């Protein structure tokens, strides 16, 4: 396996829209080789910091954002009237703590990554966001999980990033191939993000890997 990362210069930054009452959520996903029969699926989420439901606590402010992540077989191939069974279904209680919310700025985001494994196939990625005291949000997208166990050279998903650096210490959820990669599901660059950063993996035939 080979990896490559790069930077492409960009022009002026376009400011993001002003925060609105609903929580601002962006979704992206990518697939990478994992085992012979199950590729790795990564789900990337970003939450607009200014739009989160922060409430005062004894130590400052806290925002609770439970997120349900479901990966379901594509309904296009299911018989009429039959609901597909999720191959992954987890609710993750994301929580954000801040000493003071006055420093929050438009365009500031909190980024999360969820990893799971799935057999190759056509899927629907369904995300339910249930922020405390706010309306529930739902995001969905089609997702093709390819088989990377091939006799031909293949390329993984291209993951947009807001930062790529050499990993230090042990590996964590953001580490791949010795690199710490901060996802950028907003695909927003400019200002102090004046270049597009990305990560991808290239897989050769078994005899060449």
């Amino acid at each position: 396996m080979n990896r490559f990362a790069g930077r492409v210069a960009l022009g002026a930054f376009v400011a993001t829209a002003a925060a609105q009452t609903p929580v601002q959520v962006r979704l992206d996903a990518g697939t990478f080789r994992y085992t012979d029969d199950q590729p790795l699926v990564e789900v990337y989420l970003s939450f607009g910091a200014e739009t989160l439901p922060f409430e005062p606590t004894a130590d400052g402010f806290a925002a609770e954002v439970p997120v349900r992540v479901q990966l379901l077989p594509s309904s296009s191939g299911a018989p009429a009237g039959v609901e597909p069974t999720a191959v992954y279904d987890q609710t993750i209680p994301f929580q954000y703590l801040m000493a003071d919310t006055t420093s929050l700025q438009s365009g500031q985001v909190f980024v999360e990554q969820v990893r799971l494994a799935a057999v190759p196939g056509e899927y629907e990625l369904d995300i339910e966001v249930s922020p405390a005291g706010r309306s529930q949000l739902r995001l969905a997208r089609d997702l093709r999980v390819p088989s990377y166990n091939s006799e031909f050279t293949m390329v993984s998903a291209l993951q947009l990033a807001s930062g790529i650096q050499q990993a230090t210490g042990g590996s964590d959820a953001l580490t791949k191939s010795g690199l710490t990669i901060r996802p950028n599901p907003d695909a927003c660059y400019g200002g102090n993000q004046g270049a597009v950063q990305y990560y991808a993996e290239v897989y050769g035939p078994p005899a060449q890997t």
Side-chain angles (χ1 to χ4, degrees):
M1 178 195 74
N2 297 314
R3 67 170 188 258
F4 60 89
R7 299 167 65 89
V8 181
L10 283 185
F13 169 71
V14 179
T16 58
Q20 300 177 353
T21 301
V23 172
Q24 185 182 62
V25 187
R26 296 289 184 269
L27 167 66
D28 197 9
T31 62
F32 302 87
R33 189 166 69 179
Y34 183 47
T35 66
D36 287 344
D37 58 348
Q38 286 194 322
L40 178 70
V41 177
E42 291 187 342
V43 180
Y44 314 118
L45 295 164
S46 75
F47 303 96
E50 271 193 327
T51 67
L52 292 178
F54 282 100
E55 296 291 341
T57 68
D59 300 317
F61 296 85
E64 297 181 1
V65 188
V67 176
R68 184 182 183 186
V69 179
Q70 288 184 292
L71 187 66
L72 304 104
S74 177
S75 58
S76 62
V82 176
E83 291 292 331
T85 301
V87 299
Y88 181 91
D89 187 349
Q90 294 288 331
T91 298
I92 306 164
F94 294 124
Q95 186 177 58
Y96 304 98
L97 304 174
M98 298 196 69
D100 185 4
T101 58
T102 58
S103 61
L104 291 176
Q105 300 178 1
S106 176
Q108 182 177 346
V109 297
F110 294 106
V111 177
E112 303 289 352
Q113 177 177 292
V114 179
R115 279 179 170 170
L116 57 117
V119 298
E122 303 292 334
Y123 293 91
E124 295 174 4
L125 181 61
D126 192 286
I127 308 294
E128 292 180 1
V129 182
S130 304
R134 300 284 183 86
S135 299
Q136 185 182 78
L137 303 174
R138 181 179 176 187
L139 299 87
R141 58 166 289 176
D142 295 331
L143 180 67
R144 179 179 178 269
V145 178
S147 172
Y148 291 113
N149 188 18
S150 171
E151 60 180 311
F152 303 105
T153 299
M154 297 186 69
V155 181
S156 71
L158 191 150
Q159 177 188 354
L160 294 178
S162 59
I164 301 176
Q165 60 188 22
Q166 200 71 33
T168 58
S171 62
D172 57 30
L174 300 182
T175 300
K176 287 194 289 287
S177 301
L179 297 174
T180 297
I181 304 155
R182 179 177 168 80
N184 186 359
D186 294 84
C188 183
Y189 293 92
N192 61 357
Q193 286 286 330
V196 172
Q197 300 184 62
Y198 59 87
Y199 172 90
E201 297 177 353
V202 179
Y203 314 117
Q208 300 178 20
T209 305

